[in-house]
Amino acid sequence: MLNKKTIIDLIEKKNLIESYIDQDKQLTPNGFDLTAGKIFEFKVQGALDFSNKERVIPEGKELLPQKINPQDKFGWWDLSPGSYKVRTNESVNLPNNLIALAFSRTSLLRAGALTQHGVWDAGFRGRGEFILTVQNPQGLKIKQNARVAQLTFWVIEATIAYQGIYKDLK
């Protein structure tokens, strides 16, 4: 697992992470906090098959954050219990010898919600997307740009770069 110093070096030399809000606040001893850029509500059914020829990935309906006071710079998402798709503000540029694994931030867990992630493959470039599940029966409020997940980086033997449909997600 990469440490803070190595992550900083890769950010500066290889643009490992771009479009972050505050590097000092988002860096952790062993990773980098990801922030909520957009949140989507699922409105249609998805579909998966073996070959991906019949795969349907539902885009969902973007939920717009609401400002509590008109002078506020950022608004809040007021989420009922359920599952949502989060798109991060940050873009990640993984070299062919690095994968990433993401985890829920503990403060999110303590608020009654969690994130669910897949492996970020070597060679992946783009914004992250993952599932946010609100289990708190009272719901959850999330402010725009809140830190919701922590990305950790792991060195692997160099491999062929990721070429899937999510490469270069904007």
Side-chain angles (χ1 to χ4, degrees), residues 39-42 63 78-86 108 112-116 130-140 142:
I39 296 180
F40 300 86
E41 182 176 46
F42 291 102
L63 300 175
D78 191 355
L79 304 175
S80 298
S83 293
Y84 303 87
K85 179 168 62 173
V86 174
L108 184 71
L114 56 101
T115 56
Q116 299 169 347
F130 49 85
I131 300 299
L132 168 69
T133 302
V134 177
Q135 294 183 326
N136 183 328
Q138 307 307 313
L140 177 69
I142 295 181

Side-chain angles (χ1 to χ4, degrees), residues 75-95:
W76 292 82
W77 289 285
D78 191 355
L79 304 175
S80 298
S83 293
Y84 303 87
K85 179 168 62 173
V86 174
R87 184 171 297 151
T88 65
N89 286 308
E90 298 74 25
S91 290
V92 176
N93 301 298
L94 293 173

Side-chain angles (χ1 to χ4, degrees), residues 15-19 34 87-94 120-121 123-129 151 162 166-170:
N15 295 323
L16 177 65
I17 303 168
E18 298 178 298
S19 303
L34 300 173
R87 184 171 297 151
T88 65
N89 286 308
E90 298 74 25
S91 290
V92 176
N93 301 298
L94 293 173
W120 298 45
D121 288 322
F124 174 81
R125 289 190 324 261
R127 295 192 189 282
E129 288 189 338
L151 197 60
Y162 172 81
Y166 301 107
K167 188 169 189 165
D168 298 320
L169 182 65
K170 303 292 180 206

Side-chain angles (χ1 to χ4, degrees), residues 16-170:
L16 177 65
I17 303 168
E18 298 178 298
S19 303
Y20 50 82
I21 295 167
D22 183 329
Q23 180 175 307
D24 291 337
K25 187 171 281 291
Q26 289 178 255
L27 270 166
T28 70
N30 303 306
F32 198 90
D33 285 342
L34 300 173
T35 60
K38 294 184 178 186
I39 296 180
F40 300 86
E41 182 176 46
F42 291 102
K43 289 294 190 184
V44 297
Q45 184 180 49
L48 296 177
D49 68 319
F50 180 77
S51 68
N52 289 337
K53 290 180 183 176
E54 299 174 86
R55 174 174 56 189
V56 175
I57 304 297
E59 270 304 305
K61 176 187 173 204
E62 184 177 351
L63 300 175
L64 299 177
Q66 303 298 313
K67 293 182 179 180
I68 294 174
N69 297 308
Q71 68 272 19
D72 288 345
K73 186 173 181 180
F74 299 106
W76 292 82
W77 289 285
D78 191 355
L79 304 175
S80 298
S83 293
Y84 303 87
K85 179 168 62 173
V86 174
R87 184 171 297 151
T88 65
N89 286 308
E90 298 74 25
S91 290
V92 176
N93 301 298
L94 293 173
N96 290 355
N97 69 336
L98 206 61
I99 65 167
L101 300 174
F103 301 91
S104 302
R105 290 193 72 234
T106 56
S107 52
L108 184 71
L109 295 169
R110 289 179 178 113
L114 56 101
T115 56
Q116 299 169 347
H117 309 264
V119 173
W120 298 45
D121 288 322
F124 174 81
R125 289 190 324 261
R127 295 192 189 282
E129 288 189 338
F130 49 85
I131 300 299
L132 168 69
T133 302
V134 177
Q135 294 183 326
N136 183 328
Q138 307 307 313
L140 177 69
K141 286 176 59 172
I142 295 181
K143 194 165 189 175
Q144 281 179 284
N145 305 322
R147 295 176 291 144
V148 293
Q150 181 183 12
L151 197 60
T152 61
F153 301 93
W154 301 79
V155 175
I156 63 165
E157 292 181 23
T159 187
I160 297 170
Y162 172 81
Q163 296 297 319
I165 64 170
Y166 301 107
K167 188 169 189 165
D168 298 320
L169 182 65
K170 303 292 180 206

